[in-house]
Amino acid sequence: MTRWIRTGATLLFGAGIGASVSRLPSVRGGAEEEERPGPLLGLLGSVPLVPVPRVQASELTVSPGGSGTLMKYGFPSLANIKTRESYVTSYDPRTRTASWVIERLNPASLNGPSDRKYCNFKEDDSVHVFHRSTNADFRGSGFDRGHLAAAANHKWSQKAMEDTFYLSNVAPQNPHLNQKTWNNLEQLCRSLTKHYLNVYVCTGPLYLPRQEADGKLYVRYQVLGRNHVAVPTHFFKVLILEQADGRGVELRSYVLPNEPIDEKVPLDRFLVPIETIERASGLHFVPNIMKRTSSLQAITAR
């Protein structure tokens, strides 16, 4: 737990939120409360359940999971864009991982005849051999090949599911995180399709600074294998939740450290302002969404 708290502080340093804060107000139902001291003391443990923007959007009438619809809210960046059967990615050849992956979930995309047992992790031949990861890089590393676009999100098509096994859709992930809390977050994304028309999910790695003994901030991360695959310090997920009948869109954003996390910690603890991710990643989400609407209303995170 101590390790998790230290990494949480790293997140807020990297986002420029401030290192001197030890207690922050929490916003619930429009009323402000003070966080009570507990086992999650530390900056990330004190992050409030922040307001999330709400913007107008219209219904989609397109095929399930199709990547052609993913430009609706624009892309967070425009470098090295690659399109798959059911997701779009921006690949970073320096880290040998994606900068981000966008996918669209709805009930139709989550159901179908696809079977994971027919899928295998594979190199992405569209990436130059100098700049891509291989299965050998992960072998014996102690890290999982963590999906960015999750395989279970694309049962509608065997090809769509197989595409999620390209190593360009993978980043080194702590096994406990991958199999526990991160998996819970993926399940949450899928469960939201019961309440929203479409759930757009943008996922990616973060490499955040940490304050060291000399008081200075450094960005340090491990690399794996012959190809020096970068191990992220954190991961983010940005959810764009379309309500039915054009009633609006909710925006939620999460950041999790690439470390074991106590399963008792609720996922709401990892909600952060979208600006935190934009600052830390160099990506932009809100400007693209604002192109779809003339208004932006803050609501309280659930």
Side-chain angles (χ1 to χ4, degrees):
M1 181 61 72
T2 300
R3 188 181 178 193
W4 179 85
I5 294 171
R6 184 179 65 250
T7 306
T10 297
L11 164 63
L12 299 188
F13 272 117
I17 292 179
S20 62
V21 179
S22 61
R23 299 176 70 189
L24 295 176
S26 177
V27 180
R28 292 181 178 87
E32 292 190 358
E33 302 174 352
E34 284 194 353
E35 288 290 332
R36 298 178 180 177
L40 297 179
L41 284 180
L43 293 182
L44 188 57
S46 300
V47 170
L49 302 186
V50 297
V52 293
R54 175 174 176 167
V55 296
Q56 292 302 113
S58 58
E59 285 192 37
L60 295 181
T61 54
V62 292
S63 59
S67 62
T69 67
L70 296 178
M71 287 188 65
K72 181 172 183 179
Y73 296 104
F75 294 153
S77 66
L78 297 175
N80 298 321
I81 302 295
K82 297 181 181 293
T83 301
R84 298 297 184 191
E85 185 77 6
S86 59
Y87 65 88
V88 175
T89 182
S90 171
Y91 188 75
D92 186 347
R94 297 168 301 175
T95 62
R96 282 54 163 165
T97 64
S99 298
W100 52 261
V101 174
I102 294 179
E103 53 190 326
R104 188 187 66 140
L105 314 184
N106 54 37
S109 71
L110 299 180
N111 294 282
S114 300
D115 194 328
R116 184 176 177 132
K117 71 181 181 181
Y118 299 117
C119 302
N120 295 296
F121 287 104
K122 54 193 174 184
E123 294 181 36
D124 187 343
D125 292 336
S126 70
V127 177
H128 193 282
V129 66
F130 290 171
H131 303 144
R132 68 181 186 232
S133 63
T134 68
N135 284 309
D137 293 321
F138 289 85
R139 192 171 299 121
S141 69
F143 288 90
D144 283 358
R145 292 165 291 189
H147 283 82
L148 300 177
N153 293 349
H154 304 287
K155 293 183 178 180
W156 66 280
S157 159
Q158 185 65 37
K159 174 65 165 57
M161 180 175 284
E162 290 174 0
D163 278 0
T164 68
F165 283 81
Y166 279 111
L167 291 178
S168 55
N169 179 52
V170 159
Q173 198 164 49
N174 178 277
H176 187 277
L177 174 69
N178 182 36
Q179 298 162 29
K180 303 294 183 179
T181 305
W182 187 257
N183 183 55
N184 293 340
L185 182 56
E186 291 177 336
Q187 291 183 29
L188 172 64
C189 294
R190 290 191 285 272
S191 70
L192 290 172
T193 62
K194 299 175 182 178
H195 309 288
Y196 295 89
L197 182 66
N198 290 288
V199 176
Y200 289 82
V201 183
C202 184
T203 306
L206 292 173
Y207 304 88
L208 301 185
R210 179 181 303 225
Q211 188 174 32
E212 298 194 358
D214 61 2
K216 297 178 182 180
L217 298 175
Y218 297 88
V219 176
R220 301 188 192 276
Y221 54 85
Q222 183 181 350
V223 294
L224 305 183
R226 179 180 179 182
N227 293 297
H228 296 173
V229 184
V231 179
T233 63
H234 296 72
F235 290 94
F236 73 82
K237 273 191 187 292
V238 174
L239 312 184
I240 302 173
L241 309 172
E242 288 189 332
Q243 299 187 53
D245 303 322
R247 289 184 291 128
V249 168
E250 294 179 17
L251 182 64
R252 304 186 193 182
S253 44
Y254 298 82
V255 171
L256 279 68
N258 192 10
E259 299 179 357
I261 295 174
D262 190 328
E263 290 185 75
K264 296 179 182 178
V265 180
L267 289 173
D268 281 354
R269 281 294 184 187
F270 302 98
L271 280 167
V272 300
I274 185 64
E275 291 85 358
T276 300
I277 297 174
E278 290 180 320
R279 287 176 180 271
S281 65
L283 305 176
H284 291 287
F285 295 92
V286 173
N288 293 327
I289 296 175
M290 287 301 296
K291 292 177 182 178
R292 301 287 303 184
T293 183
S294 59
S295 64
L296 183 67
Q297 177 184 356
I299 64 173
T300 301
R302 295 184 176 89

